[in-house]
CSV table of all heavy atoms in Angstrom, one decimal:
chain,number,residue,atom,x,y,z
A,151,ASP,N,118.8,182.3,92.9
A,151,ASP,CA,118.2,183.6,93.4
A,151,ASP,C,117.0,184.0,92.5
A,151,ASP,O,115.9,184.4,93.0
A,151,ASP,CB,119.2,184.7,93.4
A,151,ASP,CG,120.1,184.7,92.2
A,151,ASP,OD1,120.0,183.9,91.3
A,151,ASP,OD2,121.0,185.7,92.1
A,152,ALA,N,117.1,183.8,91.2
A,152,ALA,CA,116.0,184.1,90.3
A,152,ALA,C,114.8,183.1,90.5
A,152,ALA,O,113.7,183.5,90.5
A,152,ALA,CB,116.4,183.9,88.8
A,153,VAL,N,115.1,181.8,90.8
A,153,VAL,CA,114.1,180.9,91.1
A,153,VAL,C,113.4,181.3,92.4
A,153,VAL,O,112.1,181.2,92.5
A,153,VAL,CB,114.7,179.5,91.3
A,153,VAL,CG1,113.6,178.5,91.9
A,153,VAL,CG2,115.2,178.9,90.0
A,154,HIS,N,114.1,181.8,93.4
A,154,HIS,CA,113.5,182.2,94.7
A,154,HIS,C,112.6,183.4,94.5
A,154,HIS,O,111.5,183.4,95.1
A,154,HIS,CB,114.7,182.6,95.6
A,154,HIS,CG,114.5,182.0,97.0
A,154,HIS,ND1,114.5,182.8,98.1
A,154,HIS,CD2,114.3,180.8,97.4
A,154,HIS,CE1,114.3,182.1,99.2
A,154,HIS,NE2,114.2,180.9,98.8
A,155,VAL,N,113.0,184.3,93.7
A,155,VAL,CA,112.2,185.5,93.4
A,155,VAL,C,110.9,185.1,92.7
A,155,VAL,O,109.8,185.6,93.1
A,155,VAL,CB,112.9,186.6,92.7
A,155,VAL,CG1,112.0,187.7,92.2
A,155,VAL,CG2,114.1,187.1,93.5
A,156,LEU,N,111.0,184.3,91.7
A,156,LEU,CA,109.8,183.9,91.0
A,156,LEU,C,108.9,183.0,91.8
A,156,LEU,O,107.7,183.1,91.7
A,156,LEU,CB,110.2,183.1,89.7
A,156,LEU,CG,110.8,183.9,88.6
A,156,LEU,CD1,111.5,183.0,87.6
A,156,LEU,CD2,109.7,184.7,87.9
A,157,SER,N,109.5,182.3,92.7
A,157,SER,CA,108.7,181.5,93.7
A,157,SER,C,107.9,182.4,94.6
A,157,SER,O,106.7,182.2,95.0
A,157,SER,CB,109.5,180.5,94.5
A,157,SER,OG,110.1,179.5,93.7
A,158,ALA,N,108.6,183.5,95.1
A,158,ALA,CA,108.0,184.5,96.0
A,158,ALA,C,106.8,185.1,95.2
A,158,ALA,O,105.7,185.4,95.8
A,158,ALA,CB,109.0,185.5,96.4
A,159,MET,N,107.0,185.5,94.0
A,159,MET,CA,105.9,186.0,93.2
A,159,MET,C,104.7,185.0,93.0
A,159,MET,O,103.6,185.4,92.8
A,159,MET,CB,106.4,186.5,91.8
A,159,MET,CG,107.4,187.6,91.8
A,159,MET,SD,108.2,187.9,90.2
A,159,MET,CE,106.7,188.4,89.3
A,160,ASN,N,105.0,183.8,93.1
A,160,ASN,CA,104.1,182.7,92.9
A,160,ASN,C,103.4,182.3,94.2
A,160,ASN,O,102.7,181.3,94.2
A,160,ASN,CB,104.7,181.5,92.2
A,160,ASN,CG,103.8,180.5,91.7
A,160,ASN,OD1,102.8,180.8,91.0
A,160,ASN,ND2,104.0,179.2,92.1
A,161,GLY,N,103.6,183.0,95.2
A,161,GLY,CA,102.9,182.7,96.5
A,161,GLY,C,103.8,182.1,97.5
A,161,GLY,O,103.4,181.7,98.6
A,162,GLY,N,105.1,182.0,97.2
A,162,GLY,CA,106.1,181.4,98.2
A,162,GLY,C,106.6,180.1,97.8
A,162,GLY,O,106.1,179.4,96.9
A,163,VAL,N,107.7,179.7,98.4
A,163,VAL,CA,108.4,178.4,98.1
A,163,VAL,C,107.5,177.2,98.4
A,163,VAL,O,107.3,176.3,97.5
A,163,VAL,CB,109.7,178.3,98.9
A,163,VAL,CG1,110.2,176.9,98.8
A,163,VAL,CG2,110.7,179.3,98.3
A,164,PRO,N,106.8,177.1,99.6
A,164,PRO,CA,106.0,175.9,99.8
A,164,PRO,C,104.9,175.8,98.8
A,164,PRO,O,104.6,174.7,98.3
A,164,PRO,CB,105.5,176.1,101.2
A,164,PRO,CG,106.5,177.0,101.9
A,164,PRO,CD,107.0,177.9,100.8
A,165,ALA,N,104.2,176.9,98.5
A,165,ALA,CA,103.1,176.8,97.5
A,165,ALA,C,103.7,176.4,96.1
A,165,ALA,O,103.0,175.6,95.4
A,165,ALA,CB,102.5,178.2,97.4
A,166,THR,N,104.8,176.9,95.7
A,166,THR,CA,105.4,176.5,94.5
A,166,THR,C,105.8,175.0,94.4
A,166,THR,O,105.6,174.3,93.4
A,166,THR,CB,106.7,177.4,94.2
A,166,THR,OG1,106.3,178.7,94.1
A,166,THR,CG2,107.3,177.0,92.8
A,167,VAL,N,106.3,174.5,95.6
A,167,VAL,CA,106.7,173.1,95.7
A,167,VAL,C,105.4,172.3,95.5
A,167,VAL,O,105.4,171.2,94.8
A,167,VAL,CB,107.3,172.8,97.0
A,167,VAL,CG1,107.4,171.3,97.3
A,167,VAL,CG2,108.8,173.4,97.0
A,168,ARG,N,104.3,172.7,96.1
A,168,ARG,CA,103.1,171.9,96.0
A,168,ARG,C,102.6,171.9,94.5
A,168,ARG,O,102.1,170.9,94.0
A,168,ARG,CB,102.0,172.5,96.9
A,168,ARG,CG,102.2,172.2,98.4
A,168,ARG,CD,100.9,172.6,99.1
A,168,ARG,NE,100.6,174.0,99.2
A,168,ARG,CZ,101.1,174.9,100.1
A,168,ARG,NH1,101.9,174.4,101.0
A,168,ARG,NH2,100.8,176.2,100.0
A,169,GLU,N,102.7,173.1,93.9
A,169,GLU,CA,102.3,173.1,92.5
A,169,GLU,C,103.1,172.3,91.6
A,169,GLU,O,102.7,171.6,90.6
A,169,GLU,CB,102.2,174.6,92.0
A,169,GLU,CG,101.2,175.4,92.6
A,169,GLU,CD,101.2,176.9,92.1
A,169,GLU,OE1,101.8,177.1,91.1
A,169,GLU,OE2,100.5,177.7,92.8
Side-chain angles (χ1 to χ4, degrees):
D151 45 359
V153 170
H154 224 237
V155 171
L156 287 164
S157 295
M159 295 173 63
N160 190 50
V163 166
T166 300
V167 168
R168 287 193 293 271
E169 290 182 17

